[in-house]
Amino acid sequence: MTISVRGLSMGNTVRQRATRVAGFFATLLLITFVSLATAQDRDHDWDHDRDRDRDRNHDRDRDRDHDRDGMFRVSRESVTVDFGGGRGGRPSPDAVCDPGFVAVGFHVQTGEFYNEAWLDCAPLRPDGRLGEELRMTSRTGSRGGRPVHDAYCGKGRALRGLTGRTGASIDEAAGECSSVRDIAERYDNPRTELTQTIVRPNPGGRPADVQCPAGFVVTGFRSMSGEYMDHLWLICSELRRSHDDR
């Protein structure tokens, strides 16, 4: 049998061309893969840089907001506002929050009438939030009674007024509470929530309602007392921010 050299030569040529084509496409595929990987890395780096810049801008905005709001503090100066009651009794020691603290609730010990009252106070942080630590004031009023009744503001709110009924004594009272930031904004009618109402047995009297001045928060109680608490005032302190002093 005779084998054609020309046929062998053409077969080798076809195989060589096929090998070159396969190599070309393999190289092209490799280049495409490397290009895609490089683009993904570049996009990842760009996303990372964008997120970093966004975080930096957020921090700067937050710092500007903090500077604009200023730092909150409780003024050491105070005013008193009259809740009401009778004209008898003698001055009792005040029940006052520690410096830098504001009232967030109160307690009353009762018998036939209101006898003693005192406050729960929380620290005011520079950012306007209230701390978790609570401190009780001393008591104002006249010793006596047995049940102790509690009235609390909601979380993040401070006492800014009282509403209830008074006559020859204190018949009932509930606290009026608002957020510290709303109080500091000096709104005439900030959003208000009431505490529990504390009522003496067989209450009477007339409606009574009093609030601290705009921008002020309750920091104490003042009373006149004899056998029981005759009259009650709120001690109010101003909430101030650092830019208020400029």
Side-chain angles (χ1 to χ4, degrees):
M1 180 179 66
T2 302
I3 300 174
S4 173
V5 174
R6 179 183 177 86
L8 290 174
S9 176
M10 291 180 65
N12 290 335
T13 300
V14 170
R15 285 193 295 272
Q16 289 172 359
R17 288 179 177 176
T19 300
R20 285 198 297 271
V21 170
F24 171 76
F25 280 109
T27 302
L28 182 62
L29 181 63
L30 178 61
I31 292 172
T32 302
F33 176 78
V34 171
S35 298
L36 290 174
T38 302
Q40 288 176 348
D41 290 340
R42 186 169 58 248
D43 291 342
H44 179 269
D45 293 339
W46 184 83
D47 289 341
H48 176 73
D49 292 341
R50 181 188 60 188
D51 292 341
R52 182 184 59 195
D53 292 340
R54 183 182 60 195
D55 291 341
R56 287 176 176 173
N57 290 335
H58 174 72
D59 291 340
R60 284 196 295 268
D61 290 342
R62 184 179 59 190
D63 291 341
R64 282 196 298 266
D65 290 341
H66 185 269
D67 292 340
R68 183 173 63 249
D69 288 343
M71 297 179 66
F72 290 75
R73 66 181 179 85
V74 185
S75 172
R76 290 182 175 271
E77 299 177 1
S78 62
V79 298
T80 58
V81 293
D82 188 2
F83 179 56
R87 297 182 179 180
R90 302 175 301 278
S92 297
D94 294 340
V96 181
C97 297
D98 289 341
F101 282 63
V102 299
V104 296
F106 64 99
H107 312 274
V108 178
Q109 188 159 335
T110 64
E112 184 179 357
F113 302 95
Y114 271 43
N115 287 88
E116 291 183 302
W118 61 103
L119 296 156
D120 279 339
C121 305
L124 177 64
R125 293 175 175 172
D127 62 4
R129 293 182 297 171
L130 295 175
E132 298 294 331
E133 177 191 1
L134 293 182
R135 296 182 185 176
M136 281 188 180
T137 66
S138 58
R139 301 185 178 202
T140 188
S142 178
R143 292 184 179 180
R146 183 175 298 273
V148 173
H149 309 273
D150 307 310
Y152 298 106
C153 293
K155 185 177 179 60
R157 289 174 169 78
L159 196 65
R160 69 176 192 88
L162 287 179
T163 186
R165 301 183 70 86
T166 63
S169 63
I170 312 303
D171 290 86
E172 63 180 74
E176 299 179 349
C177 307
S178 297
S179 77
V180 172
R181 284 186 173 271
D182 283 354
I183 295 172
E185 288 295 336
R186 302 177 184 274
Y187 297 141
D188 290 333
N189 295 297
R191 183 181 303 174
T192 300
E193 294 182 1
L194 296 180
T195 68
Q196 301 88 336
T197 300
I198 300 178
V199 185
R200 76 171 181 87
N202 304 312
R206 300 173 300 279
D209 188 72
V210 67
Q211 294 82 35
C212 293
F216 285 67
V217 67
V218 175
T219 54
F221 281 158
R222 177 169 294 170
S223 72
M224 297 280 286
S225 301
E227 295 182 5
Y228 51 84
M229 183 182 293
D230 292 85
H231 209 105
L232 180 64
W233 292 263
L234 303 182
I235 301 174
C236 304
S237 299
E238 187 177 14
L239 294 181
R240 308 196 69 178
R241 290 179 291 185
S242 56
H243 62 68
D244 293 334
D245 299 329
R246 293 198 292 266

PDB file of all heavy atoms in Angstrom, residues 23 36 40 43 47 50 59-60 94-95 110 129-131 133 151 156 160 170 176 178 180 190 196 208 225:
ATOM      1  N   GLY A  23      -5.043  27.687  21.087  1.00  0.00           N
ATOM      2  CA  GLY A  23      -4.185  28.501  21.941  1.00  0.00           C
ATOM      3  C   GLY A  23      -4.598  29.953  21.939  1.00  0.00           C
ATOM      4  O   GLY A  23      -4.562  30.639  22.984  1.00  0.00           O
ATOM      5  N   LEU A  36     -11.698  41.026  33.868  1.00  0.00           N
ATOM      6  CA  LEU A  36     -12.862  41.052  34.759  1.00  0.00           C
ATOM      7  C   LEU A  36     -12.441  41.108  36.217  1.00  0.00           C
ATOM      8  O   LEU A  36     -13.028  41.838  37.029  1.00  0.00           O
ATOM      9  CB  LEU A  36     -13.743  39.822  34.502  1.00  0.00           C
ATOM     10  CG  LEU A  36     -14.505  39.802  33.174  1.00  0.00           C
ATOM     11  CD1 LEU A  36     -15.212  38.456  32.994  1.00  0.00           C
ATOM     12  CD2 LEU A  36     -15.537  40.930  33.135  1.00  0.00           C
ATOM     13  N   GLN A  40     -13.314  44.019  38.878  1.00  0.00           N
ATOM     14  CA  GLN A  40     -14.002  43.771  40.152  1.00  0.00           C
ATOM     15  C   GLN A  40     -13.197  44.329  41.318  1.00  0.00           C
ATOM     16  O   GLN A  40     -13.744  44.909  42.255  1.00  0.00           O
ATOM     17  CB  GLN A  40     -14.239  42.269  40.327  1.00  0.00           C
ATOM     18  CG  GLN A  40     -15.310  41.707  39.395  1.00  0.00           C
ATOM     19  CD  GLN A  40     -15.453  40.207  39.538  1.00  0.00           C
ATOM     20  OE1 GLN A  40     -14.627  39.536  40.164  1.00  0.00           O
ATOM     21  NE2 GLN A  40     -16.519  39.672  38.947  1.00  0.00           N
ATOM     22  N   ASP A  43     -13.646  48.019  41.277  1.00  0.00           N
ATOM     23  CA  ASP A  43     -14.965  48.394  41.804  1.00  0.00           C
ATOM     24  C   ASP A  43     -15.023  48.227  43.315  1.00  0.00           C
ATOM     25  O   ASP A  43     -15.611  49.051  44.027  1.00  0.00           O
ATOM     26  CB  ASP A  43     -16.060  47.538  41.152  1.00  0.00           C
ATOM     27  CG  ASP A  43     -16.256  47.874  39.674  1.00  0.00           C
ATOM     28  OD1 ASP A  43     -15.796  48.962  39.275  1.00  0.00           O
ATOM     29  OD2 ASP A  43     -16.842  47.046  38.950  1.00  0.00           O
ATOM     30  N   ASP A  47     -15.849  51.097  45.916  1.00  0.00           N
ATOM     31  CA  ASP A  47     -16.929  51.005  46.909  1.00  0.00           C
ATOM     32  C   ASP A  47     -16.394  51.243  48.311  1.00  0.00           C
ATOM     33  O   ASP A  47     -17.032  51.911  49.134  1.00  0.00           O
ATOM     34  CB  ASP A  47     -17.604  49.629  46.840  1.00  0.00           C
ATOM     35  CG  ASP A  47     -18.437  49.453  45.574  1.00  0.00           C
ATOM     36  OD1 ASP A  47     -18.780  50.479  44.964  1.00  0.00           O
ATOM     37  OD2 ASP A  47     -18.714  48.300  45.210  1.00  0.00           O
ATOM     38  N   ARG A  50     -15.719  54.863  48.716  1.00  0.00           N
ATOM     39  CA  ARG A  50     -16.976  55.599  48.815  1.00  0.00           C
ATOM     40  C   ARG A  50     -17.574  55.451  50.209  1.00  0.00           C
ATOM     41  O   ARG A  50     -18.041  56.422  50.813  1.00  0.00           O
ATOM     42  CB  ARG A  50     -17.962  55.079  47.769  1.00  0.00           C
ATOM     43  CG  ARG A  50     -19.307  55.806  47.760  1.00  0.00           C
ATOM     44  CD  ARG A  50     -20.279  55.104  46.836  1.00  0.00           C
ATOM     45  NE  ARG A  50     -20.485  53.726  47.290  1.00  0.00           N
ATOM     46  CZ  ARG A  50     -21.166  52.813  46.589  1.00  0.00           C
ATOM     47  NH1 ARG A  50     -21.663  53.116  45.399  1.00  0.00           N
ATOM     48  NH2 ARG A  50     -21.323  51.589  47.064  1.00  0.00           N
ATOM     49  N   ASP A  59     -19.648  61.475  60.112  1.00  0.00           N
ATOM     50  CA  ASP A  59     -19.031  61.908  61.368  1.00  0.00           C
ATOM     51  C   ASP A  59     -18.928  63.425  61.427  1.00  0.00           C
ATOM     52  O   ASP A  59     -19.172  64.041  62.481  1.00  0.00           O
ATOM     53  CB  ASP A  59     -17.639  61.274  61.521  1.00  0.00           C
ATOM     54  CG  ASP A  59     -17.717  59.772  61.747  1.00  0.00           C
ATOM     55  OD1 ASP A  59     -18.795  59.300  62.155  1.00  0.00           O
ATOM     56  OD2 ASP A  59     -16.712  59.073  61.508  1.00  0.00           O
ATOM     57  N   ARG A  60     -18.556  64.052  60.279  1.00  0.00           N
ATOM     58  CA  ARG A  60     -18.458  65.516  60.264  1.00  0.00           C
ATOM     59  C   ARG A  60     -19.827  66.160  60.479  1.00  0.00           C
ATOM     60  O   ARG A  60     -19.948  67.139  61.226  1.00  0.00           O
ATOM     61  CB  ARG A  60     -17.844  65.982  58.939  1.00  0.00           C
ATOM     62  CG  ARG A  60     -16.344  65.774  58.830  1.00  0.00           C
ATOM     63  CD  ARG A  60     -15.765  66.602  57.697  1.00  0.00           C
ATOM     64  NE  ARG A  60     -16.274  66.174  56.403  1.00  0.00           N
ATOM     65  CZ  ARG A  60     -15.676  65.263  55.631  1.00  0.00           C
ATOM     66  NH1 ARG A  60     -14.538  64.707  56.038  1.00  0.00           N
ATOM     67  NH2 ARG A  60     -16.190  64.934  54.464  1.00  0.00           N
ATOM     68  N   ASP A  94     -36.456  71.735 101.888  1.00  0.00           N
ATOM     69  CA  ASP A  94     -36.712  71.421 100.482  1.00  0.00           C
ATOM     70  C   ASP A  94     -36.227  70.011 100.141  1.00  0.00           C
ATOM     71  O   ASP A  94     -35.271  69.496 100.735  1.00  0.00           O
ATOM     72  CB  ASP A  94     -35.998  72.419  99.569  1.00  0.00           C
ATOM     73  CG  ASP A  94     -36.562  73.827  99.690  1.00  0.00           C
ATOM     74  OD1 ASP A  94     -37.707  73.968 100.159  1.00  0.00           O
ATOM     75  OD2 ASP A  94     -35.847  74.779  99.296  1.00  0.00           O
ATOM     76  N   ALA A  95     -36.874  69.416  99.162  1.00  0.00           N
ATOM     77  CA  ALA A  95     -36.407  68.162  98.550  1.00  0.00           C
ATOM     78  C   ALA A  95     -35.828  68.520  97.192  1.00  0.00           C
ATOM     79  O   ALA A  95     -36.577  68.867  96.265  1.00  0.00           O
ATOM     80  CB  ALA A  95     -37.566  67.184  98.408  1.00  0.00           C
ATOM     81  N   THR A 110     -48.700  58.964 102.323  1.00  0.00           N
ATOM     82  CA  THR A 110     -49.993  59.533 102.713  1.00  0.00           C
ATOM     83  C   THR A 110     -50.564  58.808 103.921  1.00  0.00           C
ATOM     84  O   THR A 110     -50.310  57.633 104.173  1.00  0.00           O
ATOM     85  CB  THR A 110     -51.010  59.424 101.561  1.00  0.00           C
ATOM     86  OG1 THR A 110     -51.268  58.040 101.279  1.00  0.00           O
ATOM     87  CG2 THR A 110     -50.518  60.111 100.304  1.00  0.00           C
ATOM     88  N   ARG A 129     -29.173  63.672  76.731  1.00  0.00           N
ATOM     89  CA  ARG A 129     -29.833  62.452  77.177  1.00  0.00           C
ATOM     90  C   ARG A 129     -29.756  62.342  78.699  1.00  0.00           C
ATOM     91  O   ARG A 129     -28.943  63.007  79.339  1.00  0.00           O
ATOM     92  CB  ARG A 129     -29.198  61.226  76.530  1.00  0.00           C
ATOM     93  CG  ARG A 129     -29.413  61.142  75.020  1.00  0.00           C
ATOM     94  CD  ARG A 129     -28.809  59.886  74.457  1.00  0.00           C
ATOM     95  NE  ARG A 129     -27.363  59.861  74.637  1.00  0.00           N
ATOM     96  CZ  ARG A 129     -26.598  58.795  74.393  1.00  0.00           C
ATOM     97  NH1 ARG A 129     -27.153  57.673  73.972  1.00  0.00           N
ATOM     98  NH2 ARG A 129     -25.296  58.854  74.570  1.00  0.00           N
ATOM     99  N   LEU A 130     -30.619  61.497  79.257  1.00  0.00           N
ATOM    100  CA  LEU A 130     -30.629  61.270  80.699  1.00  0.00           C
ATOM    101  C   LEU A 130     -29.862  59.999  81.034  1.00  0.00           C
ATOM    102  O   LEU A 130     -30.003  58.978  80.351  1.00  0.00           O
ATOM    103  CB  LEU A 130     -32.067  61.151  81.212  1.00  0.00           C
ATOM    104  CG  LEU A 130     -32.918  62.418  81.089  1.00  0.00           C
ATOM    105  CD1 LEU A 130     -34.359  62.135  81.509  1.00  0.00           C
ATOM    106  CD2 LEU A 130     -32.343  63.539  81.942  1.00  0.00           C
ATOM    107  N   GLY A 131     -29.047  60.068  82.071  1.00  0.00           N
ATOM    108  CA  GLY A 131     -28.319  58.894  82.514  1.00  0.00           C
ATOM    109  C   GLY A 131     -29.213  57.906  83.235  1.00  0.00           C
ATOM    110  O   GLY A 131     -30.346  58.206  83.620  1.00  0.00           O
ATOM    111  N   GLU A 133     -28.454  56.358  86.130  1.00  0.00           N
ATOM    112  CA  GLU A 133     -28.345  56.440  87.597  1.00  0.00           C
ATOM    113  C   GLU A 133     -29.466  57.310  88.167  1.00  0.00           C
ATOM    114  O   GLU A 133     -29.701  58.428  87.712  1.00  0.00           O
ATOM    115  CB  GLU A 133     -26.994  57.044  87.979  1.00  0.00           C
ATOM    116  CG  GLU A 133     -26.828  57.242  89.479  1.00  0.00           C
ATOM    117  CD  GLU A 133     -25.619  58.086  89.839  1.00  0.00           C
ATOM    118  OE1 GLU A 133     -24.913  58.544  88.919  1.00  0.00           O
ATOM    119  OE2 GLU A 133     -25.391  58.297  91.050  1.00  0.00           O
ATOM    120  N   ALA A 151     -44.839  57.791  91.250  1.00  0.00           N
ATOM    121  CA  ALA A 151     -45.239  58.383  89.966  1.00  0.00           C
ATOM    122  C   ALA A 151     -43.972  58.601  89.143  1.00  0.00           C
ATOM    123  O   ALA A 151     -43.050  59.296  89.589  1.00  0.00           O
ATOM    124  CB  ALA A 151     -45.969  59.699  90.183  1.00  0.00           C
ATOM    125  N   GLY A 156     -36.508  58.779  79.122  1.00  0.00           N
ATOM    126  CA  GLY A 156     -36.013  59.931  78.390  1.00  0.00           C
ATOM    127  C   GLY A 156     -36.763  61.221  78.657  1.00  0.00           C
ATOM    128  O   GLY A 156     -36.463  62.242  78.044  1.00  0.00           O
ATOM    129  N   ARG A 160     -41.795  68.429  84.348  1.00  0.00           N
ATOM    130  CA  ARG A 160     -41.822  69.870  84.112  1.00  0.00           C
ATOM    131  C   ARG A 160     -43.050  70.541  84.705  1.00  0.00           C
ATOM    132  O   ARG A 160     -43.213  71.754  84.604  1.00  0.00           O
ATOM    133  CB  ARG A 160     -41.762  70.180  82.617  1.00  0.00           C
ATOM    134  CG  ARG A 160     -42.995  69.792  81.844  1.00  0.00           C
ATOM    135  CD  ARG A 160     -42.921  70.219  80.383  1.00  0.00           C
ATOM    136  NE  ARG A 160     -44.199  70.090  79.708  1.00  0.00           N
ATOM    137  CZ  ARG A 160     -45.131  71.034  79.672  1.00  0.00           C
ATOM    138  NH1 ARG A 160     -44.915  72.202  80.264  1.00  0.00           N
ATOM    139  NH2 ARG A 160     -46.277  70.834  79.056  1.00  0.00           N
ATOM    140  N   ILE A 170     -53.088  69.121  99.770  1.00  0.00           N
ATOM    141  CA  ILE A 170     -52.920  68.545  98.437  1.00  0.00           C
ATOM    142  C   ILE A 170     -53.833  67.319  98.353  1.00  0.00           C
ATOM    143  O   ILE A 170     -53.714  66.391  99.153  1.00  0.00           O
ATOM    144  CB  ILE A 170     -51.464  68.143  98.170  1.00  0.00           C
ATOM    145  CG1 ILE A 170     -50.519  69.275  98.568  1.00  0.00           C
ATOM    146  CG2 ILE A 170     -51.275  67.741  96.721  1.00  0.00           C
ATOM    147  CD1 ILE A 170     -50.782  70.577  97.875  1.00  0.00           C
ATOM    148  N   GLU A 176     -46.378  66.057  84.989  1.00  0.00           N
ATOM    149  CA  GLU A 176     -46.378  66.328  83.554  1.00  0.00           C
ATOM    150  C   GLU A 176     -44.935  66.216  83.071  1.00  0.00           C
ATOM    151  O   GLU A 176     -44.059  66.941  83.546  1.00  0.00           O
ATOM    152  CB  GLU A 176     -46.941  67.710  83.260  1.00  0.00           C
ATOM    153  CG  GLU A 176     -48.395  67.871  83.717  1.00  0.00           C
ATOM    154  CD  GLU A 176     -48.941  69.265  83.438  1.00  0.00           C
ATOM    155  OE1 GLU A 176     -48.156  70.168  83.079  1.00  0.00           O
ATOM    156  OE2 GLU A 176     -50.158  69.457  83.588  1.00  0.00           O
ATOM    157  N   SER A 178     -41.982  65.756  79.823  1.00  0.00           N
ATOM    158  CA  SER A 178     -41.639  65.990  78.422  1.00  0.00           C
ATOM    159  C   SER A 178     -40.183  65.603  78.208  1.00  0.00           C
ATOM    160  O   SER A 178     -39.402  65.469  79.158  1.00  0.00           O
ATOM    161  CB  SER A 178     -41.851  67.454  78.040  1.00  0.00           C
ATOM    162  OG  SER A 178     -43.206  67.839  78.158  1.00  0.00           O
ATOM    163  N   VAL A 180     -36.317  65.988  77.385  1.00  0.00           N
ATOM    164  CA  VAL A 180     -35.396  67.049  77.784  1.00  0.00           C
ATOM    165  C   VAL A 180     -35.129  68.003  76.622  1.00  0.00           C
ATOM    166  O   VAL A 180     -35.084  69.225  76.794  1.00  0.00           O
ATOM    167  CB  VAL A 180     -34.082  66.427  78.299  1.00  0.00           C
ATOM    168  CG1 VAL A 180     -33.030  67.503  78.528  1.00  0.00           C
ATOM    169  CG2 VAL A 180     -34.332  65.660  79.596  1.00  0.00           C
ATOM    170  N   PRO A 190     -44.783  71.787  74.851  1.00  0.00           N
ATOM    171  CA  PRO A 190     -44.100  70.577  74.389  1.00  0.00           C
ATOM    172  C   PRO A 190     -44.985  69.347  74.590  1.00  0.00           C
ATOM    173  O   PRO A 190     -45.902  69.346  75.420  1.00  0.00           O
ATOM    174  CB  PRO A 190     -42.861  70.518  75.288  1.00  0.00           C
ATOM    175  CG  PRO A 190     -43.235  71.283  76.510  1.00  0.00           C
ATOM    176  CD  PRO A 190     -44.155  72.370  76.042  1.00  0.00           C
ATOM    177  N   GLN A 196     -48.424  58.440  86.856  1.00  0.00           N
ATOM    178  CA  GLN A 196     -49.541  57.953  87.651  1.00  0.00           C
ATOM    179  C   GLN A 196     -50.070  59.089  88.532  1.00  0.00           C
ATOM    180  O   GLN A 196     -49.325  59.998  88.903  1.00  0.00           O
ATOM    181  CB  GLN A 196     -49.095  56.774  88.533  1.00  0.00           C
ATOM    182  CG  GLN A 196     -48.547  55.580  87.773  1.00  0.00           C
ATOM    183  CD  GLN A 196     -47.053  55.667  87.502  1.00  0.00           C
ATOM    184  OE1 GLN A 196     -46.459  56.750  87.472  1.00  0.00           O
ATOM    185  NE2 GLN A 196     -46.434  54.528  87.281  1.00  0.00           N
ATOM    186  N   ALA A 208     -56.019  72.057  89.947  1.00  0.00           N
ATOM    187  CA  ALA A 208     -54.741  72.786  90.026  1.00  0.00           C
ATOM    188  C   ALA A 208     -53.834  72.290  88.921  1.00  0.00           C
ATOM    189  O   ALA A 208     -53.798  71.087  88.619  1.00  0.00           O
ATOM    190  CB  ALA A 208     -54.094  72.568  91.399  1.00  0.00           C
ATOM    191  N   SER A 225     -45.858  72.711 106.022  1.00  0.00           N
ATOM    192  CA  SER A 225     -46.472  71.541 106.638  1.00  0.00           C
ATOM    193  C   SER A 225     -46.712  71.769 108.123  1.00  0.00           C
ATOM    194  O   SER A 225     -45.998  72.528 108.795  1.00  0.00           O
ATOM    195  CB  SER A 225     -45.576  70.308 106.459  1.00  0.00           C
ATOM    196  OG  SER A 225     -45.345  70.048 105.096  1.00  0.00           O
TER     197      SER A 225
END
